[in-house]
Amino acid sequence: MYPTPDLKLIDRIFPNLELSLFTLLKKRLASFYEGLEKNGIEMAPMVQTPDFIRVMLFSEYFAVTISQNPGLYQTLVNSGDNSRSYSPVAYCDKLKIALAREALDTAFVKETLLQFKLYESIRIAWRDLTGMAGLEETLMDLSNLAESCVRQGIDFLYDDFCQRFGVPVDSQGIPQQLIVLGLGKLGARELNFSSDIDLMFVYPRQGVTTGKNPISNDDFFTRLCRDFLKLFTMGGGINFFRVDTRLRPFGDSGPLVMCAAAFEDYYQAQGREWERYAMIKARPIAGNIDEGNLLLKGLNSFIYRRYFDYGSFDSFREMKHRITLQVKNKKLKDNIKLGAGGIREIEFFGQLFQLIRGGVEPELQEQQILKVLDLLHLHKCINLKTRQDLNESYHFLRRVENRLQEYQDLQTHDIPEKADQRLILALSMGFDSFEVFYQELTQVLDRVHGHFSLLLVTEEEENTDTQTRHLREMWTNINDPQFASDALEVVGYGDPDQLLTSLRILADHPNTQRLTSSGQKKLARLMPMLVKKAGREQDAQTLLSKLIDLIITIERRTCYLSLLIENKGALDTLIVLAQKSPWIITFLSQHPVLLDELMHPATLYAPPKRDALEREMVDRMKKIPSMDVEYLLEELCIFRQINTLRVAAADVSGNYPLMKVSDHLTYIAETVLSQVLKIAWDIVTRKYGIPQGMDPNIDAPQGFAIVAYGKVGGLEMGYKSDLDLVFLFQAETGMTSGIPNGMKMGGDLSPGRSIDNVLFYSNLGQRIIRLLTMHTSAGTLYGADMRLRPGGASGMIVSQIDAFEEYLVNQAWTWEHQALIRARPVTGDPALFARFDRIREAVLGKKRDPGTLQKEVSDMRERMREERLAHASGLFDLKQDPGGIVDIEFLVQYLILKNAHRFPDVLVWTDNIRLMEALSVEGLISGAQSQVLQEAYVGMRKALHRLTLQEKNLVVPDELFKETATAVAKIYDSYLKL
């Protein structure tokens, strides 16, 4: 006789246990002992343990299963499976062994799969209920278990069908396999204990089978999928895994399996927002995994837009509204998945951000919700408190979900009504009473629902504010001739007629007229907000006119209207920037994708330093295939635009020094140039191989350098500066290696072609210019000015370093030596950097005739002044007038060229401020003169930046800089006046 349950042990584990549960537990233990005795199994020490007692109470499914089949529990304990974690491939490996026999039939496979699932589900329940496995392990094990069963079932049926009908092949004779996509919790590896599994079936290409009586691939795979569904519905009404295929194209009315081309066409042509939502978690789990990944890659642009998708807010709001209406159903009051604050709301919270931002920030294309929440915090989409709340709530609710389902292996999410089951649930969750558990559950649900409720909320005050209602009425009736505007008064606008005129310009514009009904509604929501907020600023009418210009530019892409409607902070920031800098608004009009930056003031007003820029560039580039040049350029343009906007925003904030502005704009240009060189080098070497004499093991540009002159060379970039560049190369006489494997890019290459090294570098230089100046959907990178190269516009696009040196020493004009002062290498081969620096030092350091030098520099300056100086009287041209910026630059260059042979240290720097400091240190100008020149230079350049940002001509009233210009002109004349 098997021993009776140890009642004292039960009391120690569950002190003061309700009598009904005590009786229930004794009954379950007795039933199990009876099963042991009936089957002659001896394992008393293994059942008189606290863990065993707990699990027998917490799970009726576990208790009944092992009582009916005690050998299953014996195997579980003796094998040690119940006390160890599985590797990701353990289930597949174990199942392959279980199915390893020469002749498989459907009945055997069915029974094997069922017994396998039964054993492993008991193991998973044990580890979860005893606390041996955390939530992540439990969800992963459940997902891997289902995936391995699907995979083995599909493989068995595919082999069986191939024997019966032949192998399905495409028109090229390539064998075709089924692609099985797992969606929902299976796709995300987050399956719960009694979950359905959501599947889709696709096959790669049309064709026929190779059998004696061939059938079409479509027929082959349709039959296979039908048999698979039968395989997963066990006889006698026992469900193995409940398979749900309703997420497929056209739902229940659609074909069970589709060709990949038709599958993709459906989503691109007819896919709806909820289908984007569903496909976030899609993952190939069986059949041809590689083809499945390619299929999903092709759908990526459907799921994730390549811009911030604020245009879908209304669709998402409707989805949220449907959820909100559903949770009001009393039947869902205690449903932890679909009820208020349930699991679905956490998932919707994360996936909403993914759909909006995932195309621009690919890191968010993650399937597991906990990782998504971490990424949203990392990307500053949510704060730490929100992430912690949702993370902890998700853990709690998913544990409750599994405990509910582990009790009877039912697909339930409802808190049980029976008191005994409620108490068992509470105990399994570590609470002493249901009341305490339910209190905690209520707090969790309220916390989740609070965060969910804040999603997509419109400004309620806009709906109740009297002024806004009047403005909405005004916009609605803007072109109604019977609309009485005589008594119209709008706060902040002195002339109502002028306001109406501006609004009518927008209302009558072709872009506005072509808006869809949805777009018109969005504009009608935005304009009252915009008019009201702009009216709080100085010169509201001018400000509004500028903003209307922006609206006209962006309104056809209604997602940008949605962004400004949905994000109060973004609209406020836009108005602040518009007030301080019309140039920024013009810049946003040219590059609307930058509007998203308005949502992130922490980064908008804090331009990243050089190392951060380089890290950002690396992160952006590694997400894009190196062969996709157009996409690479688009990303480079966006990189440049975003960071230029950040500099401008920091600049107009009033607390950002001029030198930092110039430095940051220069760093942006240098970072872009370095990446452009890498892209160009990759293109040209793929086409022609590498030049003879270069190391094939070095994956970086060799024998080539880009030298920056002018604003970039002098670290004085402005918002509209072009790049003054010279390309240098050094290579042995010879040919490139060609492409042995015949690799092509874009179909325009000659496989295996080898060219002269000089031609290679010339091609490289031309490619760089083309990349810099090519127009893309995101704009153009920079204007490239190559006129400072030897020979000017008629010279070769690239210069061999020895010929470059010879030209500078023997042929260059004095003005070219002046330009060389502000030249420095910025990217390319470090060996050429050192060579260039030696050449620059030698050329600039040669002794010159003072009189000749003075005349040449002075004549060139006056010639430039005559050609470029033209303005009305009473104004001062900051650059060209006497005592202006160019006078300071020419004076510094003259003094450098005159004295560098005696004082080589003055050549260390290329920026004017440090050049002036060096001249003062060497006594070539006095300290007082240096201070006057530096203060004047900084003050005038600061004014230039302000005028640029205000979109004004680069002239000011002459009294603003009268004293400064006079002092500069006096110093200039003392050295350069003939």
Side-chain angles (χ1 to χ4, degrees), residues 107 153 516 576 654 968:
T516 62
V576 169
V968 170

Side-chain angles (χ1 to χ4, degrees), residues 6-16 22 48-50 53-54:
D6 185 344
L7 302 184
K8 292 183 179 180
L9 179 60
I10 296 176
D11 284 335
R12 286 201 302 271
I13 299 169
F14 298 113
N16 304 314
F22 192 89
Q48 301 285 357
T49 66
I53 300 297
R54 290 191 186 96

Side-chain angles (χ1 to χ4, degrees), residues 723-972:
L723 307 183
D724 295 301
L725 305 175
V726 168
F727 299 149
L728 301 177
F729 76 94
Q730 184 172 31
E732 300 175 1
T733 302
M735 307 288 287
T736 63
S737 60
I739 310 296
N741 61 1
M743 186 183 300
K744 292 187 177 183
M745 283 192 61
D748 63 344
L749 308 184
S750 302
R753 185 180 174 190
S754 178
I755 61 173
D756 181 81
N757 285 350
V758 176
L759 185 57
F760 170 91
Y761 285 112
S762 178
N763 191 299
L764 177 63
Q766 291 169 348
R767 182 73 64 169
I768 292 169
I769 296 171
R770 197 179 311 162
L771 294 173
L772 286 171
T773 59
M774 183 185 299
H775 182 75
T776 72
S777 60
T780 303
L781 283 172
Y782 289 98
D785 191 336
M786 305 297 297
R787 290 174 296 178
L788 289 174
R789 68 185 187 269
S794 61
M796 287 186 62
I797 198 72
V798 296
S799 300
Q800 202 277 340
I801 189 71
D802 295 326
F804 176 74
E805 180 178 19
E806 193 278 333
Y807 174 84
L808 287 177
V809 171
N810 298 314
Q811 301 178 53
W813 297 84
T814 298
W815 66 264
E816 292 177 285
H817 288 175
Q818 289 178 242
L820 187 63
I821 292 172
R822 302 216 302 167
R824 61 188 177 87
V826 291
T827 187
D829 191 331
L832 273 177
F833 285 22
R835 177 74 189 280
F836 171 84
D837 288 339
R838 290 195 297 270
I839 293 171
R840 176 178 176 271
E841 184 177 348
V843 171
L844 297 180
K846 75 173 185 178
K847 188 174 182 180
R848 304 162 195 271
D849 177 70
T852 302
L853 177 66
Q854 183 188 36
K855 185 175 188 312
E856 289 176 346
V857 173
S858 180
D859 287 350
M860 175 58 71
R861 176 68 192 102
E862 293 311 312
R863 193 179 310 127
M864 182 185 296
R865 202 189 311 273
E866 289 175 8
E867 292 174 356
R868 302 182 184 181
L869 182 59
H871 59 73
S873 61
L875 298 175
F876 177 70
D877 186 314
L878 289 161
K879 297 181 77 173
Q880 300 298 340
D881 257 319
I885 288 174
V886 180
D887 275 3
I888 297 173
E889 292 175 342
F890 267 65
L891 174 59
V892 169
Q893 291 160 12
Y894 163 73
L895 292 171
I896 296 289
L897 293 177
K898 179 182 178 182
N899 296 290
H901 68 284
R902 294 186 299 131
F903 302 98
D905 286 350
V906 298
L907 298 174
V908 171
W909 308 108
T910 60
D911 62 290
N912 278 303
I913 293 298
R914 282 186 286 198
L915 287 171
M916 285 184 253
E917 291 174 349
L919 290 171
S920 174
V921 168
E922 299 294 352
L924 300 174
I925 56 175
S926 69
Q929 288 175 324
S930 178
Q931 184 174 353
V932 168
L933 293 174
Q934 288 185 55
E935 290 178 355
Y937 193 72
V938 170
M940 292 179 191
R941 285 196 62 231
K942 195 168 185 177
L944 278 179
H945 277 273
R946 289 288 175 267
L947 291 170
T948 298
L949 292 172
Q950 292 295 326
E951 295 190 322
K952 296 180 179 179
N953 292 329
L954 304 183
V955 292
V956 295
D958 55 11
E959 65 267 15
L960 287 182
F961 284 96
K962 186 173 183 179
E963 292 185 8
T964 300
T966 299
V968 170
K970 183 177 180 181
I971 299 172
Y972 177 89

Side-chain angles (χ1 to χ4, degrees), residues 387-428:
R387 184 192 71 82
Q388 289 175 336
D389 282 352
L390 295 179
N391 186 300
E392 292 169 4
S393 299
Y394 184 81
H395 272 86
F396 184 87
L397 293 173
R398 291 304 306 271
R399 287 178 63 230
V400 173
E401 176 186 44
N402 278 334
R403 302 297 160 87
L404 283 171
Q405 296 181 359
E406 286 162 350
Y407 186 71
Q408 291 179 323
D409 192 22
L410 296 177
Q411 191 185 19
T412 180
H413 293 89
D414 293 318
I415 300 300
E417 296 180 357
K418 294 180 179 179
D420 284 355
Q421 291 184 22
R422 286 187 164 203
L423 181 54
I424 289 172
L425 173 62
L427 293 171
S428 72

